[in-house]
Amino acid sequence: MSFYLLPRVIGAVLLGAAFAVRRSAARRRGELEVAAGLEVLRTLRWKEFAQYVTQSFEARGYNAETGQRRPGEDGVDIVLTRSGERLLLQVKHGGSYLVGGGPVRALAGMLAAHGANAGVIATSGAFDAAALDAARERQVTLLAGEPLWNGLRGLLPDSLVAEVDERAGETAG
């Protein structure tokens, strides 16, 4: 290597390292926000959490069916429709909630009875390996963690977003 190229190579390496550190820090801030966001979501009552989840689907063009049915009736919390498509939504709320394969299989079994094309289980908790396996084999989407937070963040009132930012900042510092 030429002596004249050495400063350029060193500069490129240092610049690449600076970008990597910056990307890593941004990724870490994002992870802290997601963790804090999920903590704050878990402080909500089930009904509030379910309303935000429903609103996230309404933002994508779905309509929540209203009427005489109550959440949990026939094993389904919310029925959503869009352009003739029918979606069954179950909401599992709580920090210690670990959804297993049973609820996924049960929801999948209800699709035909409700004339639904697909199902979604949304949780502020997590899904275990059995749930992930069961969902892969069925028309059920699992919604938790970062995708859940990203879908709900823009729907939350400023006071909750401020609480998330505060919690994320405390964790980072």
Side-chain angles (χ1 to χ4, degrees):
M1 179 182 306
S2 167
F3 176 72
Y4 296 107
L5 292 177
L6 189 59
R8 288 185 181 173
V9 170
I10 291 172
V13 168
L14 291 176
L15 187 60
F19 282 129
V21 167
R22 191 174 187 151
R23 259 193 322 267
S24 177
R27 189 175 316 123
R28 177 72 179 136
R29 275 191 304 277
E31 291 169 357
L32 293 174
E33 180 187 308
V34 169
L38 293 173
E39 285 177 21
V40 168
L41 289 175
R42 291 176 190 132
T43 67
L44 301 175
R45 296 184 188 278
W46 181 91
K47 186 174 183 174
E48 293 171 299
F49 179 71
Q51 285 175 329
Y52 289 124
V53 172
T54 301
Q55 287 174 6
S56 74
F57 280 92
E58 289 172 341
R60 291 181 270 167
Y62 285 92
N63 295 306
E65 287 186 359
T66 56
Q68 300 297 338
R69 74 175 322 282
R70 289 178 285 164
E73 187 175 309
D74 299 326
V76 177
D77 293 326
I78 300 155
V79 178
L80 301 161
T81 58
R82 178 178 70 182
S83 303
E85 178 186 6
R86 197 169 160 106
L87 183 73
L88 303 182
L89 174 63
Q90 280 188 348
V91 178
K92 308 291 188 187
H93 184 50
S96 62
Y97 225 117
L98 183 63
V99 180
V104 175
R105 288 186 295 277
L107 181 61
M110 290 184 260
L111 296 178
H114 288 274
N117 307 75
V120 175
I121 300 177
T123 184
S124 56
F127 295 101
D128 70 12
L132 298 173
D133 288 343
R136 269 192 288 279
E137 300 167 3
R138 293 164 178 83
Q139 293 295 104
V140 176
T141 300
L142 305 180
L143 185 58
E146 186 174 356
L148 174 73
W149 171 246
N150 289 339
L152 300 184
R153 186 186 199 289
L155 302 171
L156 299 177
D158 292 340
S159 60
L160 288 179
V161 174
E163 186 177 342
V164 170
D165 291 342
E166 184 178 319
R167 287 181 187 216
E170 289 172 1
T171 306

